[in-house]
Coordinates of all heavy atoms in Angstrom, one line a residue:
M1 N 75.2 155.3 -14.5 CA 74.7 154.1 -15.3 C 73.2 153.9 -15.0 O 72.4 153.7 -15.9 CB 75.4 152.8 -14.9 CG 75.3 151.7 -15.8 SD 75.8 152.1 -17.5 CE 74.8 150.9 -18.4
K2 N 72.9 153.9 -13.7 CA 71.4 153.7 -13.3 C 70.6 154.9 -13.9 O 69.5 154.6 -14.3 CB 71.4 153.7 -11.8 CG 70.4 152.7 -11.2 CD 70.4 152.7 -9.7 CE 69.9 151.3 -9.2 NZ 70.1 151.2 -7.7
A3 N 71.2 156.1 -13.8 CA 70.4 157.2 -14.4 C 70.0 157.0 -15.8 O 69.0 157.4 -16.2 CB 71.2 158.5 -14.1
L4 N 71.0 156.5 -16.5 CA 70.8 156.2 -17.9 C 69.7 155.2 -18.2 O 68.8 155.5 -19.1 CB 72.2 155.8 -18.6 CG 72.1 155.6 -20.1 CD1 72.1 157.0 -20.7 CD2 73.4 154.9 -20.6
V5 N 69.8 154.2 -17.4 CA 68.6 153.2 -17.6 C 67.3 153.8 -17.3 O 66.3 153.6 -18.0 CB 69.0 152.0 -16.6 CG1 67.7 151.0 -16.6 CG2 70.2 151.2 -17.1
I6 N 67.2 154.6 -16.2 CA 66.0 155.3 -15.8 C 65.5 156.2 -16.9 O 64.4 156.3 -17.3 CB 66.1 155.9 -14.5 CG1 66.3 154.9 -13.4 CG2 64.9 156.9 -14.1 CD1 66.8 155.5 -12.0
A7 N 66.6 156.9 -17.5 CA 66.2 157.9 -18.5 C 65.6 157.2 -19.8 O 64.6 157.7 -20.3 CB 67.5 158.7 -18.9
I8 N 66.2 156.1 -20.0 CA 65.8 155.3 -21.3 C 64.3 154.8 -21.0 O 63.5 154.8 -21.8 CB 66.7 154.2 -21.6 CG1 68.0 154.8 -22.2 CG2 66.2 153.2 -22.7 CD1 69.2 153.8 -22.3
A9 N 64.2 154.2 -19.8 CA 62.9 153.7 -19.4 C 61.8 154.7 -19.4 O 60.7 154.5 -20.0 CB 62.9 153.0 -18.0
A10 N 62.2 155.9 -19.0 CA 61.2 157.0 -19.0 C 60.8 157.4 -20.4 O 59.6 157.7 -20.7 CB 61.8 158.2 -18.2
L11 N 61.9 157.4 -21.2 CA 61.7 157.8 -22.6 C 60.7 156.8 -23.3 O 59.9 157.2 -24.1 CB 63.0 157.8 -23.3 CG 63.1 158.6 -24.6 CD1 63.1 160.1 -24.4 CD2 64.4 158.2 -25.4
I12 N 60.9 155.5 -23.0 CA 60.0 154.5 -23.6 C 58.6 154.7 -23.2 O 57.6 154.6 -23.9 CB 60.6 153.1 -23.3 CG1 61.9 152.9 -24.1 CG2 59.5 152.1 -23.7 CD1 62.7 151.7 -23.6
L13 N 58.5 155.0 -21.9 CA 57.1 155.2 -21.3 C 56.4 156.4 -21.9 O 55.2 156.3 -22.2 CB 57.2 155.3 -19.8 CG 57.4 154.1 -19.0 CD1 57.6 154.5 -17.5 CD2 56.2 153.2 -19.1
V14 N 57.2 157.4 -22.2 CA 56.6 158.6 -22.8 C 56.3 158.4 -24.2 O 55.3 158.9 -24.8 CB 57.6 159.8 -22.6 CG1 57.1 161.0 -23.4 CG2 57.7 160.2 -21.1
A15 N 57.3 157.7 -24.9 CA 57.2 157.5 -26.4 C 56.0 156.5 -26.7 O 55.4 156.7 -27.8 CB 58.4 157.0 -26.9
S16 N 55.8 155.5 -26.0 CA 54.9 154.4 -26.3 C 53.4 154.9 -26.6 O 52.9 154.5 -27.6 CB 54.9 153.3 -25.3 OG 56.2 152.8 -25.2
P17 N 52.8 155.6 -25.7 CA 51.4 156.0 -26.0 C 51.2 156.8 -27.2 O 50.3 156.6 -28.0 CB 51.0 156.8 -24.8 CG 52.0 156.5 -23.7 CD 53.3 156.2 -24.4
A18 N 52.2 157.7 -27.5 CA 52.2 158.5 -28.7 C 52.3 157.6 -30.0 O 51.5 157.8 -30.9 CB 53.4 159.5 -28.7
M19 N 53.1 156.6 -29.9 CA 53.3 155.7 -31.0 C 52.1 154.8 -31.1 O 51.7 154.5 -32.3 CB 54.5 154.8 -30.8 CG 55.8 155.4 -31.2 SD 57.0 154.3 -31.6 CE 58.0 154.2 -30.2
A20 N 51.5 154.4 -30.0 CA 50.3 153.5 -30.0 C 49.1 154.2 -30.8 O 48.3 153.5 -31.4 CB 49.9 153.2 -28.6
G21 N 49.1 155.5 -30.5 CA 48.1 156.3 -31.2 C 48.3 156.5 -32.7 O 47.5 156.9 -33.5
Q22 N 49.6 156.4 -33.0 CA 50.1 156.8 -34.3 C 49.6 155.7 -35.4 O 49.2 156.0 -36.4 CB 51.6 156.9 -34.4 CG 52.2 157.2 -35.7 CD 52.5 158.7 -35.8 OE1 51.7 159.5 -36.1 NE2 53.8 159.1 -35.5
C23 N 49.8 154.5 -35.1 CA 49.6 153.5 -36.0 C 48.2 153.4 -36.6 O 48.0 153.3 -37.8 CB 49.9 152.0 -35.6 SG 51.2 151.9 -34.3
P24 N 47.1 153.5 -35.8 CA 45.8 153.5 -36.4 C 45.6 154.6 -37.4 O 44.9 154.5 -38.4 CB 44.8 153.6 -35.2 CG 45.6 153.2 -34.1 CD 47.0 153.6 -34.3
L25 N 46.2 155.8 -37.1 CA 46.2 156.9 -38.0 C 46.9 156.7 -39.3 O 46.3 156.9 -40.4 CB 46.9 158.1 -37.4 CG 46.2 158.9 -36.3 CD1 47.0 160.0 -35.8 CD2 44.9 159.6 -36.9
L26 N 48.0 156.1 -39.2 CA 48.8 155.7 -40.5 C 48.0 154.7 -41.3 O 47.9 154.7 -42.4 CB 50.2 155.2 -40.1 CG 51.0 156.3 -39.3 CD1 52.4 155.7 -39.0 CD2 51.2 157.5 -40.1
I27 N 47.5 153.6 -40.5 CA 46.8 152.5 -41.2 C 45.6 153.1 -41.9 O 45.3 152.7 -43.0 CB 46.4 151.4 -40.2 CG1 47.7 150.7 -39.8 CG2 45.4 150.4 -40.8 CD1 47.6 149.8 -38.5
K28 N 44.9 154.0 -41.3 CA 43.7 154.7 -41.8 C 44.1 155.4 -43.0 O 43.4 155.3 -44.1 CB 43.1 155.6 -40.8 CG 41.8 156.2 -41.2 CD 41.2 157.0 -40.0 CE 40.1 158.0 -40.5 NZ 40.7 159.4 -40.7
Q29 N 45.2 156.2 -43.1 CA 45.6 156.9 -44.3 C 45.9 155.9 -45.4 O 45.7 156.2 -46.6 CB 46.8 157.7 -44.0 CG 46.6 158.9 -43.1 CD 47.8 159.6 -42.6 OE1 48.7 159.9 -43.4 NE2 47.9 159.9 -41.4
L30 N 46.6 154.8 -45.0 CA 47.0 153.8 -46.1 C 45.7 153.2 -46.6 O 45.6 153.0 -47.9 CB 47.8 152.8 -45.5 CG 49.2 153.2 -45.1 CD1 49.9 152.1 -44.2 CD2 50.1 153.5 -46.3
N31 N 44.7 152.8 -45.8 CA 43.5 152.3 -46.3 C 42.7 153.2 -47.2 O 42.1 152.9 -48.2 CB 42.6 151.8 -45.2 CG 43.1 150.5 -44.6 OD1 43.6 149.6 -45.3 ND2 43.0 150.3 -43.3
E32 N 42.8 154.5 -46.8 CA 42.1 155.6 -47.7 C 42.8 155.6 -49.0 O 42.1 155.7 -50.0 CB 42.1 156.9 -46.9 CG 41.0 157.0 -45.9 CD 41.2 158.3 -45.1 OE1 42.1 159.1 -45.3 OE2 40.4 158.4 -44.1
A33 N 44.1 155.6 -49.0 CA 44.9 155.7 -50.3 C 44.6 154.4 -51.1 O 44.3 154.6 -52.4 CB 46.4 155.7 -50.0
V34 N 44.5 153.2 -50.5 CA 44.2 152.0 -51.2 C 42.8 152.1 -51.8 O 42.5 151.7 -52.9 CB 44.3 150.8 -50.3 CG1 43.6 149.6 -50.8 CG2 45.7 150.5 -50.1
G35 N 41.9 152.8 -51.0 CA 40.4 152.9 -51.4 C 40.3 153.7 -52.7 O 39.3 153.6 -53.4
K36 N 41.3 154.6 -52.9 CA 41.2 155.5 -54.1 C 41.8 154.9 -55.3 O 41.7 155.4 -56.4 CB 41.9 156.9 -53.8 CG 41.1 157.8 -52.9 CD 41.9 159.0 -52.6 CE 41.5 159.7 -51.3 NZ 42.6 160.4 -50.6
M37 N 42.5 153.7 -55.0 CA 43.2 153.1 -56.2 C 42.4 151.8 -56.6 O 41.5 151.4 -56.0 CB 44.6 152.7 -55.7 CG 45.5 153.9 -55.4 SD 47.0 153.5 -54.5 CE 48.0 153.1 -55.9
K38 N 42.8 151.3 -57.8 CA 42.1 150.2 -58.4 C 42.6 148.9 -57.5 O 43.7 148.8 -57.2 CB 42.5 149.9 -59.8 CG 41.8 150.9 -60.7 CD 42.0 150.6 -62.2 CE 41.4 151.7 -63.1 NZ 42.4 152.1 -64.1
A39 N 41.6 148.0 -57.2 CA 41.9 146.9 -56.4 C 42.9 146.0 -57.0 O 43.6 145.2 -56.4 CB 40.6 146.1 -56.1
D40 N 43.0 145.9 -58.4 CA 43.8 145.0 -59.1 C 45.1 145.8 -59.4 O 46.0 145.1 -60.1 CB 43.2 144.4 -60.4 CG 42.8 145.5 -61.3 OD1 42.9 146.7 -61.0 OD2 42.4 145.1 -62.4
D41 N 45.4 146.9 -58.8 CA 46.6 147.7 -59.1 C 47.8 146.8 -58.4 O 47.5 146.4 -57.2 CB 46.5 149.0 -58.5 CG 47.6 149.9 -58.9 OD1 48.9 149.5 -58.8 OD2 47.5 151.1 -59.2
A42 N 48.8 146.7 -59.0 CA 50.0 145.9 -58.4 C 50.4 146.5 -57.1 O 50.8 145.8 -56.2 CB 51.1 145.8 -59.4
K43 N 50.4 147.9 -57.0 CA 50.8 148.6 -55.8 C 49.9 148.2 -54.7 O 50.3 148.0 -53.6 CB 50.7 150.1 -56.0 CG 51.8 150.6 -56.9 CD 51.7 152.2 -56.9 CE 52.4 152.8 -58.1 NZ 52.0 154.2 -58.3
V44 N 48.6 148.2 -55.0 CA 47.6 147.9 -53.9 C 47.8 146.4 -53.5 O 47.8 146.2 -52.2 CB 46.2 148.0 -54.5 CG1 45.1 147.5 -53.5 CG2 45.8 149.5 -54.8
K45 N 48.1 145.5 -54.4 CA 48.3 144.1 -54.0 C 49.5 144.0 -53.1 O 49.6 143.1 -52.3 CB 48.4 143.2 -55.3 CG 47.0 143.0 -55.9 CD 47.2 142.0 -57.1 CE 45.8 141.8 -57.8 NZ 46.0 141.3 -59.1
A46 N 50.5 144.8 -53.5 CA 51.8 144.7 -52.7 C 51.7 145.4 -51.3 O 52.2 144.9 -50.3 CB 52.9 145.4 -53.4
A47 N 50.8 146.4 -51.3 CA 50.7 147.2 -50.0 C 49.8 146.5 -49.0 O 50.0 146.7 -47.8 CB 50.2 148.6 -50.3
K48 N 48.7 145.8 -49.5 CA 47.7 145.3 -48.6 C 48.3 144.4 -47.5 O 47.9 144.5 -46.4 CB 46.6 144.5 -49.4 CG 45.5 145.6 -49.8 CD 44.2 144.8 -50.3 CE 43.1 145.8 -50.5 NZ 42.0 145.2 -51.2
P49 N 49.1 143.4 -48.0 CA 49.7 142.5 -46.9 C 50.6 143.3 -45.8 O 50.6 143.0 -44.7 CB 50.6 141.5 -47.6 CG 50.3 141.7 -49.0 CD 49.7 143.0 -49.2
L50 N 51.2 144.4 -46.4 CA 52.0 145.2 -45.4 C 51.1 145.9 -44.4 O 51.5 146.0 -43.2 CB 52.9 146.3 -46.3 CG 53.9 145.7 -47.1 CD1 54.5 146.8 -48.0 CD2 55.1 145.1 -46.3
I51 N 50.0 146.5 -44.9 CA 49.0 147.1 -44.0 C 48.5 146.1 -43.0 O 48.3 146.5 -41.8 CB 47.9 147.7 -44.9 CG1 48.4 148.8 -45.8 CG2 46.8 148.4 -43.9 CD1 47.5 149.3 -46.9
A52 N 48.2 144.9 -43.5 CA 47.7 143.9 -42.5 C 48.7 143.6 -41.4 O 48.4 143.4 -40.3 CB 47.3 142.6 -43.3
D53 N 50.0 143.4 -41.9 CA 51.1 143.2 -40.9 C 51.2 144.3 -40.0 O 51.4 144.1 -38.8 CB 52.4 143.1 -41.7 CG 52.7 141.8 -42.3 OD1 51.8 140.8 -42.1 OD2 53.6 141.6 -43.1
A54 N 51.0 145.6 -40.4 CA 51.1 146.7 -39.6 C 50.0 146.6 -38.5 O 50.3 146.9 -37.3 CB 51.0 148.0 -40.4
Q55 N 48.8 146.3 -38.9 CA 47.7 146.2 -38.0 C 48.0 145.1 -36.9 O 47.7 145.3 -35.8 CB 46.4 145.8 -38.8 CG 45.2 145.7 -37.9 CD 44.7 147.0 -37.4 OE1 44.5 148.0 -38.1 NE2 44.7 147.1 -36.0
K56 N 48.6 144.0 -37.4 CA 48.9 142.8 -36.5 C 49.9 143.3 -35.5 O 49.9 142.9 -34.3 CB 49.4 141.6 -37.3 CG 48.3 140.6 -37.5 CD 48.9 139.4 -38.3 CE 48.1 139.2 -39.6 NZ 48.9 138.5 -40.6
L57 N 51.0 144.0 -36.0 CA 52.0 144.4 -35.1 C 51.5 145.4 -34.1 O 51.8 145.4 -32.9 CB 53.2 145.1 -35.9 CG 54.1 144.1 -36.7 CD1 54.8 144.9 -37.8 CD2 55.0 143.3 -35.8
H58 N 50.6 146.3 -34.5 CA 50.0 147.3 -33.6 C 49.1 146.6 -32.6 O 49.2 146.8 -31.4 CB 49.1 148.3 -34.4 CG 48.2 149.0 -33.6 ND1 48.6 150.1 -32.8 CD2 46.8 149.0 -33.4 CE1 47.7 150.6 -32.1 NE2 46.6 150.0 -32.5
D59 N 48.3 145.6 -33.0 CA 47.6 144.8 -32.0 C 48.5 144.1 -31.0 O 48.0 143.9 -29.9 CB 46.7 143.7 -32.8 CG 45.6 144.4 -33.6 OD1 45.3 145.6 -33.3 OD2 45.1 143.8 -34.6
G60 N 49.7 143.7 -31.5 CA 50.6 143.0 -30.6 C 51.5 144.0 -29.8 O 52.5 143.7 -29.2
A61 N 51.1 145.3 -29.8 CA 51.8 146.4 -29.1 C 53.1 146.6 -29.6 O 54.0 147.2 -28.9 CB 51.8 146.1 -27.6
K62 N 53.5 146.1 -30.8 CA 54.8 146.5 -31.4 C 54.6 147.7 -32.3 O 54.7 147.6 -33.6 CB 55.3 145.2 -32.2 CG 55.7 144.0 -31.3 CD 56.1 142.9 -32.1 CE 56.5 141.7 -31.1 NZ 56.4 140.5 -31.8
H63 N 54.4 148.8 -31.7 CA 54.1 150.0 -32.5 C 55.1 150.5 -33.3 O 54.9 150.9 -34.5 CB 53.6 151.1 -31.5 CG 52.5 150.6 -30.6 ND1 51.2 150.2 -31.1 CD2 52.4 150.4 -29.3 CE1 50.4 149.8 -30.1 NE2 51.2 149.9 -29.0
A64 N 56.4 150.5 -32.9 CA 57.5 150.9 -33.7 C 57.7 150.2 -35.0 O 57.9 150.7 -36.1 CB 58.8 150.9 -32.9
D65 N 57.5 148.8 -34.8 CA 57.5 147.9 -36.0 C 56.3 148.2 -36.9 O 56.5 148.1 -38.2 CB 57.6 146.5 -35.6 CG 58.9 146.1 -34.9 OD1 59.9 146.8 -35.2 OD2 58.9 145.1 -34.2
A66 N 55.2 148.4 -36.3 CA 54.0 148.7 -37.1 C 54.2 150.0 -38.0 O 53.8 150.0 -39.2 CB 52.7 148.9 -36.2
I67 N 54.8 151.0 -37.4 CA 55.0 152.3 -38.1 C 56.0 152.0 -39.2 O 55.8 152.6 -40.3 CB 55.6 153.4 -37.1 CG1 54.4 153.8 -36.1 CG2 56.1 154.5 -37.9 CD1 54.8 154.6 -34.9
K68 N 57.0 151.1 -39.0 CA 57.9 150.9 -40.1 C 57.2 150.1 -41.2 O 57.5 150.4 -42.4 CB 59.1 149.9 -39.6 CG 60.3 150.6 -39.1 CD 61.4 149.7 -38.6 CE 62.1 150.2 -37.4 NZ 62.7 149.1 -36.6
K69 N 56.3 149.3 -40.9 CA 55.6 148.6 -42.0 C 54.6 149.6 -42.7 O 54.5 149.5 -44.0 CB 54.6 147.6 -41.3 CG 55.3 146.2 -41.0 CD 55.5 145.4 -42.2 CE 56.4 144.2 -41.9 NZ 57.0 143.5 -43.0
C70 N 54.1 150.5 -41.9 CA 53.3 151.6 -42.6 C 54.1 152.4 -43.6 O 53.7 152.8 -44.7 CB 52.7 152.5 -41.5 SG 51.3 151.8 -40.6
D71 N 55.3 152.7 -43.2 CA 56.2 153.4 -44.1 C 56.6 152.7 -45.3 O 56.5 153.2 -46.4 CB 57.6 153.8 -43.3 CG 57.5 154.9 -42.3 OD1 56.6 155.8 -42.6 OD2 58.2 155.0 -41.4
E72 N 56.7 151.3 -45.1 CA 57.0 150.5 -46.3 C 55.8 150.5 -47.2 O 55.9 150.6 -48.4 CB 57.2 149.0 -45.8 CG 58.7 148.7 -45.6 CD 58.7 147.2 -45.1 OE1 58.2 146.3 -45.8 OE2 59.2 146.9 -44.1
A73 N 54.6 150.3 -46.6 CA 53.4 150.3 -47.4 C 53.2 151.6 -48.2 O 52.8 151.7 -49.3 CB 52.2 150.0 -46.5
A74 N 53.5 152.8 -47.5 CA 53.3 154.1 -48.0 C 54.3 154.2 -49.3 O 53.9 154.8 -50.3 CB 53.6 155.1 -47.1
K75 N 55.4 153.7 -49.1 CA 56.5 153.8 -50.2 C 56.0 153.0 -51.4 O 56.0 153.5 -52.6 CB 57.8 153.2 -49.7 CG 59.0 154.0 -50.2 CD 60.3 153.4 -49.6 CE 60.7 154.1 -48.3 NZ 61.9 153.4 -47.7
V76 N 55.4 151.8 -51.1 CA 54.8 151.0 -52.2 C 53.8 151.7 -52.9 O 53.6 151.7 -54.2 CB 54.4 149.6 -51.7 CG1 53.5 148.9 -52.7 CG2 55.5 148.7 -51.2
L77 N 52.8 152.4 -52.2 CA 51.7 153.0 -52.7 C 52.1 154.4 -53.4 O 51.3 155.0 -54.1 CB 50.7 153.2 -51.6 CG 49.9 152.0 -51.2 CD1 49.1 152.3 -49.9 CD2 49.0 151.4 -52.3
G78 N 53.3 154.9 -52.9 CA 53.6 156.2 -53.4 C 52.9 157.3 -52.7 O 52.6 158.4 -53.3
V79 N 52.5 157.2 -51.5 CA 51.8 158.2 -50.7 C 52.7 158.7 -49.6 O 53.6 158.0 -49.2 CB 50.4 157.6 -50.1 CG1 49.4 157.3 -51.2 CG2 50.6 156.6 -49.2
K80 N 52.4 159.9 -49.1 CA 53.1 160.4 -48.0 C 52.2 160.4 -46.8 O 51.0 160.8 -46.8 CB 53.5 161.9 -48.3 CG 54.9 162.2 -47.9 CD 55.3 163.6 -48.4 CE 56.7 163.9 -47.8 NZ 56.7 164.1 -46.3
L81 N 52.7 159.8 -45.7 CA 51.9 159.7 -44.5 C 52.0 161.0 -43.6 O 53.2 161.5 -43.4 CB 52.3 158.5 -43.6 CG 52.1 157.2 -44.3 CD1 52.6 156.0 -43.5 CD2 50.6 156.9 -44.5
E82 N 50.9 161.4 -43.1 CA 50.9 162.5 -42.1 C 51.1 161.9 -40.7 O 50.3 161.2 -40.3 CB 49.6 163.3 -42.1 CG 49.2 163.9 -43.5 CD 49.8 165.2 -43.7 OE1 50.3 165.8 -42.8 OE2 49.9 165.6 -44.9
K83 N 52.3 162.3 -40.2 CA 52.6 161.7 -38.8 C 52.4 162.9 -37.8 O 52.9 164.0 -38.0 CB 53.9 161.1 -38.8 CG 54.1 159.8 -39.5 CD 55.4 159.2 -39.4 CE 55.6 158.0 -40.3 NZ 57.0 157.6 -40.3
K84 N 51.8 162.5 -36.7 CA 51.7 163.5 -35.6 C 52.9 163.3 -34.7 O 53.4 162.2 -34.5 CB 50.5 163.4 -34.8 CG 50.3 162.0 -34.1 CD 49.1 162.0 -33.2 CE 49.0 160.8 -32.3 NZ 47.8 160.6 -31.6
M85 N 53.5 164.4 -34.3 CA 54.7 164.3 -33.5 C 54.4 164.2 -32.0 O 53.6 164.7 -31.5 CB 55.6 165.6 -33.8 CG 56.3 165.5 -35.1 SD 57.4 164.1 -35.1 CE 57.1 163.3 -36.7
Ligands
CU1 CU1 50.4 150.8 -32.7

Protein backbone atom coordinates (compact mmCIF):
# COMPACT_ATOMS: atom_id res chain seq x y z
CA MET A 1 0.00 0.00 0.00
CA LYS A 2 2.77 2.38 1.01
CA ALA A 3 4.72 1.46 -2.11
CA LEU A 4 1.71 2.36 -4.24
CA VAL A 5 1.41 5.77 -2.62
CA ILE A 6 5.12 6.40 -3.14
CA ALA A 7 4.86 5.24 -6.74
CA ILE A 8 1.96 7.60 -7.41
CA ALA A 9 3.75 10.49 -5.69
CA ALA A 10 6.86 9.82 -7.77
CA LEU A 11 4.77 9.71 -10.92
CA ILE A 12 3.21 13.08 -10.11
CA LEU A 13 6.63 14.58 -9.41
CA VAL A 14 7.94 13.30 -12.71
CA ALA A 15 4.85 14.28 -14.68
CA SER A 16 4.39 17.82 -13.33
CA PRO A 17 7.40 19.61 -14.82
CA ALA A 18 6.68 18.10 -18.24
CA MET A 19 3.09 19.29 -18.03
CA ALA A 20 4.14 22.69 -16.72
CA GLY A 21 6.21 23.16 -19.84
CA GLN A 22 3.44 21.86 -22.04
CA CYS A 23 0.76 24.50 -21.44
CA PRO A 24 2.70 27.57 -22.67
CA LEU A 25 3.48 25.61 -25.85
CA LEU A 26 -0.16 24.72 -26.37
CA ILE A 27 -1.33 28.24 -25.53
CA LYS A 28 1.22 29.62 -28.01
CA GLN A 29 -0.09 27.31 -30.75
CA LEU A 30 -3.66 28.35 -29.98
CA ASN A 31 -2.78 32.04 -30.06
CA GLU A 32 -0.99 31.54 -33.38
CA ALA A 33 -4.06 29.78 -34.77
CA VAL A 34 -6.27 32.62 -33.52
CA GLY A 35 -3.87 35.14 -35.08
CA LYS A 36 -4.42 33.55 -38.49
CA MET A 37 -8.20 33.76 -38.19
CA LYS A 38 -10.57 36.70 -38.32
CA ALA A 39 -11.10 38.37 -34.92
CA ASP A 40 -14.87 38.38 -35.42
CA ASP A 41 -14.96 34.67 -36.30
CA ALA A 42 -17.39 32.86 -33.99
CA LYS A 43 -14.73 30.18 -33.40
CA VAL A 44 -12.21 32.78 -32.28
CA LYS A 45 -14.77 34.37 -29.96
CA ALA A 46 -15.54 30.98 -28.44
CA ALA A 47 -11.90 29.93 -28.14
CA LYS A 48 -10.46 33.11 -26.62
CA PRO A 49 -12.07 32.68 -23.16
CA LEU A 50 -10.93 29.04 -23.15
CA ILE A 51 -7.36 30.10 -23.92
CA ALA A 52 -7.55 32.74 -21.18
CA ASP A 53 -8.83 30.08 -18.76
CA ALA A 54 -5.99 27.77 -19.77
CA GLN A 55 -3.48 30.53 -19.04
CA LYS A 56 -5.09 31.17 -15.63
CA LEU A 57 -5.06 27.46 -14.76
CA HIS A 58 -1.43 27.22 -15.84
CA ASP A 59 -0.54 30.24 -13.69
CA GLY A 60 -2.30 28.51 -10.80
CA ALA A 61 -0.15 25.40 -11.40
CA LYS A 62 -3.21 23.40 -12.50
CA HIS A 63 -1.42 22.18 -15.59
CA ALA A 64 -3.55 19.10 -16.29
CA ASP A 65 -6.70 21.24 -16.25
CA ALA A 66 -4.98 23.86 -18.40
CA ILE A 67 -4.13 21.21 -20.99
CA LYS A 68 -7.77 20.08 -21.00
CA LYS A 69 -8.83 23.69 -21.66
CA CYS A 70 -6.30 23.90 -24.49
CA ASP A 71 -7.78 20.74 -25.99
CA GLU A 72 -11.24 22.30 -25.78
CA ALA A 73 -10.03 25.50 -27.42
CA ALA A 74 -8.27 23.49 -30.14
CA LYS A 75 -11.47 21.58 -30.84
CA VAL A 76 -13.41 24.85 -31.11
CA LEU A 77 -10.81 26.29 -33.49
CA GLY A 78 -10.49 23.07 -35.43
CA VAL A 79 -6.72 22.93 -35.00
CA LYS A 80 -4.48 20.08 -33.95
CA LEU A 81 -2.06 20.74 -31.13
CA GLU A 82 1.49 19.44 -31.22
CA LYS A 83 2.15 17.95 -27.81
CA LYS A 84 5.57 16.98 -26.62
CA MET A 85 5.65 13.68 -24.81
CU1 LIG B 1 0.95 24.71 -17.12
